[in-house]
């Protein structure tokens, strides 16, 4: 007799529910149950039961047509993640974003990935780059990744770190800031400085832009002032 999909161990059931949330977050638009089931390779009835449980906890909602979107309950959970770090970082990110005229954001290390914890777009600008909180990319890519790797001993680096990247991380560590171009998002440039807070995983304060009259060192100096203020507050 073939085991039913919903008879899996609780840990696997939890993993499937989390995967549904991740798919919804990546989609950024409502999805039907059939679309969700197909993307996570689940039978529709199993996906439906998982979504009902998530809905009961306010983590997803469904509209009159049955389309599924993330629920406001996730906002309450996200607000509790490193709440003190977010609270101290947001005013500094806001000031830096308005001074530089570019999006500034806080990135933290999560396993081998960089995760955006908070992001602020400049108040007065024609165009601004959106850096969505919760977005993630490998720590081996982008200026924030280099700024974070510069705070770690090489034994903690991912296997994907090659000689070229190791050299760039060493340069960033010596210089005190990192830069990247066209790595995480095509055409975009980024500058990042390390943010080391005792008792926490390495983090970075970064800025991203398409073009600017400021040179990277000037951007880094402003970001370091923000990082220093955050460290002092914590």
């Amino acid at each position: 007799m073939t085991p039913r999909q919903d008879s899996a161990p609780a840990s696997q059931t939890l993993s499937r529910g989390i995967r549904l949330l991740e798919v919804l977050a990546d989609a950024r638009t409502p999805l039907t149950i059939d679309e969700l089931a197909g993307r996570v390779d689940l039978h529709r009835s199993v996906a439906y039961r998982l979504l009902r449980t998530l809905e009961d906890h306010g983590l997803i909602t469904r509209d009159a047509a049955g389309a599924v979107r993330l629920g406001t309950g996730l906002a309450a959970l996200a607000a509790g993640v490193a709440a003190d770090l977010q609270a101290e970082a947001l005013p500094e990110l806001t000031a830096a974003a308005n001074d530089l005229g570019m999006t500034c954001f806080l990135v933290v290390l999560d396993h081998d990935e960089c995760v955006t914890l908070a992001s602020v777009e400049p108040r007065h600008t024609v165009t601004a780059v959106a850096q969505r909180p919760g977005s993630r990319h490998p720590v081996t890519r982008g200026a924030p990744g280099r700024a974070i790797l510069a705070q770690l001993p090489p034994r903690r680096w991912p296997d994907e770190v090659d000689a070229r990247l190791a050299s760039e991380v060493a340069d960033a560590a010596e210089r005190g800031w990192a830069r990247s171009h066209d790595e995480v998002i095509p055409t975009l440039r980024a500058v990042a400085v390390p943010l080391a807070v005792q008792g926490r995983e390495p983090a970075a304060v970064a800025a991203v832009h398409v073009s600017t009259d400021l040179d990277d060192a000037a951007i880094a100096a402003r970001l370091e002032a923000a990082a220093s203020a955050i460290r002092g507050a914590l």
Side-chain angles (χ1 to χ4, degrees):
M1 179 176 172
T2 303
R4 292 171 53 188
Q5 283 185 287
D6 61 346
S7 64
S11 58
Q12 187 174 359
T13 301
L14 177 60
S15 178
R16 288 169 171 171
I18 292 172
R19 181 68 185 125
L20 288 169
L21 293 175
E22 291 173 340
V23 168
L24 282 170
D26 289 339
R28 304 184 70 176
T29 57
L31 298 174
T32 67
I33 294 177
D34 288 335
E35 288 172 329
L36 280 165
R39 295 191 187 192
V40 298
D41 195 25
L42 285 177
H43 190 279
R44 186 185 191 281
S45 62
V46 177
Y48 176 78
R49 283 193 287 273
L50 290 169
L51 290 169
R52 282 294 302 272
T53 300
L54 294 173
E55 186 177 22
D56 288 344
H57 289 276
L59 303 182
I60 63 104
T61 62
R62 289 182 293 162
D63 61 23
V68 182
R69 68 178 72 231
L70 294 177
T72 55
L74 283 171
L77 293 178
V81 177
D84 56 341
L85 180 56
Q86 290 194 64
E88 300 299 344
L90 278 173
E92 300 301 330
L93 292 175
T94 301
N98 290 328
D99 287 347
L100 295 171
M102 58 188 67
T103 299
C104 293
F105 55 104
L106 172 68
V107 170
V108 296
L109 178 65
D110 179 26
H111 294 88
D112 288 341
E113 292 185 310
C114 293
V115 179
T116 299
L117 189 62
S119 176
V120 176
E121 296 177 16
R123 184 182 300 110
H124 303 296
T125 185
V126 176
T127 59
V129 179
Q131 180 71 19
R132 183 166 53 96
S135 62
R136 58 178 64 227
H137 61 80
V139 73
T140 52
R141 293 168 54 194
R146 288 168 175 72
I148 285 176
L149 288 174
Q151 302 173 63
L152 295 173
R155 60 182 171 77
R156 287 193 58 191
W157 290 357
D159 294 337
E160 294 78 14
V161 175
D162 56 17
R164 177 194 59 81
L165 180 55
S167 176
E168 293 177 356
V169 171
D171 289 343
E174 182 177 356
R175 189 172 52 231
W177 53 272
R179 71 178 127 210
S180 65
H181 177 222
D182 205 28
E183 285 191 24
V184 178
I185 303 176
T187 75
L188 296 187
R189 296 177 179 272
V191 177
V193 301
L195 175 59
V197 179
Q198 187 174 5
R200 298 181 185 271
E201 284 286 88
V205 176
V208 62
H209 63 91
V210 178
S211 63
T212 180
D213 294 332
L214 297 172
D215 62 28
D216 290 343
I219 297 172
R222 181 61 186 86
L223 294 176
E224 174 51 38
S228 179
I230 296 169
R231 280 192 299 268
L234 290 171

